[in-house]
Amino acid sequence: MLPALVGGSIGVIVASAEVLMIAGTAGMGYGLGRKYGRKACNFLDRVEDRIVSGMKTKVIVEE
């Protein structure tokens, strides 16, 4: 009885640690995705603004 109880306890501890590691990895991935996604979005917004302003100045100069 005692070995089964000890083995079961160790199994629960190992399973809990595995769940915590997976949850931590998922949380870290979510946080990094938001961080670098925001940086990419800001970069693309700046590129878009440069293209639009370049097109506007070219149209004004040609008129």
Side-chain angles (χ1 to χ4, degrees), residues 1 5 10-12 16 18 25 36-38 43-44 48 51-52 54 56 59 62:
M1 176 73 178
L5 186 61
I10 291 173
V12 168
S16 299
E18 185 177 355
T25 302
Y36 290 111
R38 187 179 327 111
F43 173 74
L44 291 174
E48 181 184 4
I51 291 171
V52 169
K56 283 182 180 178
V59 169
E62 289 180 1

Side-chain angles (χ1 to χ4, degrees), residues 7-21:
S9 299
I10 291 173
V12 168
I13 291 170
V14 169
S16 299
E18 185 177 355
V19 167
L20 286 174
M21 285 188 289

Side-chain angles (χ1 to χ4, degrees), residues 27-43:
M28 185 174 60
Y30 173 75
L32 288 173
R34 280 182 52 103
K35 177 181 178 179
Y36 290 111
R38 187 179 327 111
K39 286 186 176 192
C41 187
N42 288 337
F43 173 74

